[in-house]
Amino acid sequence: MSDRPADERDPPTAITRRALLAAGVVGFGFSGLIDVLVLHHVLQWHHLLSGIYPMDTLAGLQTNVFADGLFSIGMVVVTATGAGLLWQAERRTPVPLAVRPLAGAAVVGLGAFDVFDAVVDHALLGLHQPVGQGGRPLSFGGPYNPHWIAVSLLFVAAGYYVYRTGLRDRDSDVEGRP
């Protein structure tokens, strides 16, 4: 039971599967946007199809930049869809949504995109590989993918931890109410 009077306690919060899924979709799309903006455009470590079309020819670079642009638009659509679903979920509950479980779900989505990208795009399909100095691949037998998958799984685990502790804190607050 809380030491604070009933009128000073935090208001009750809700959490729904729809809201959790929506937050995960937002995290997935946001991670894709960060990937394409930072790694593809700013650092130019690789492009979406650089495993298929070379980055060192004008035609190959044009194809890759066009594919990166389409991917960016796709990730904006994914992120906006998740945000819209989250907004809908919030509108359907009589009390505010619990923030920590949703933040955890978003971080899980962020890590899930990175795992998907490293396993499917890099390893299975070979669409692209991050490159280092002189255009040498940093992955597929190199050090990049295994380490990035491990970091991505840590993001998933951290998101799950934030989700679970947010649920536990929310449930303990609810149980302490008169």
Side-chain angles (χ1 to χ4, degrees), residues 66-111:
F66 179 72
D68 287 345
L70 292 178
F71 181 73
S72 298
I73 292 169
M75 289 296 101
V76 167
V77 169
V78 168
T79 305
T81 300
L85 291 171
L86 187 57
W87 178 77
Q88 253 186 354
E90 192 278 328
R91 302 283 295 166
R92 291 180 178 187
T93 62
V95 294
L97 292 172
V99 173
R100 283 190 56 195
L102 293 176
V107 174
V108 167
L110 186 141

Side-chain angles (χ1 to χ4, degrees), residues 17-159:
R17 287 183 186 189
R18 179 183 297 249
L20 291 170
L21 177 64
V25 170
V26 168
F28 190 92
F30 183 73
S31 185
L33 281 171
I34 296 303
D35 180 89
V36 74
L37 293 173
V38 175
L39 301 179
H40 296 214
H41 294 299
V42 176
L43 298 176
Q44 297 180 16
W45 280 5
H46 60 272
H47 293 284
L48 186 64
L49 301 176
S50 58
I52 300 168
Y53 298 98
M55 296 184 339
D56 57 355
T57 67
L58 181 58
L61 187 59
Q62 286 174 328
T63 301
N64 277 294
V65 170
F66 179 72
D68 287 345
L70 292 178
F71 181 73
S72 298
I73 292 169
M75 289 296 101
V76 167
V77 169
V78 168
T79 305
T81 300
L85 291 171
L86 187 57
W87 178 77
Q88 253 186 354
E90 192 278 328
R91 302 283 295 166
R92 291 180 178 187
T93 62
V95 294
L97 292 172
V99 173
R100 283 190 56 195
L102 293 176
V107 174
V108 167
L110 186 141
F113 171 82
D114 293 335
V115 170
F116 174 84
D117 184 44
V119 171
V120 175
D121 293 345
H122 295 195
L124 295 178
L125 299 178
L127 293 180
H128 58 264
Q129 301 298 327
V131 294
Q133 292 181 339
R136 302 176 108 184
L138 293 175
S139 59
F140 226 175
Y144 177 82
N145 277 340
H147 291 87
W148 187 243
I149 290 171
V151 168
S152 302
L153 290 172
L154 287 175
F155 273 107
V156 172

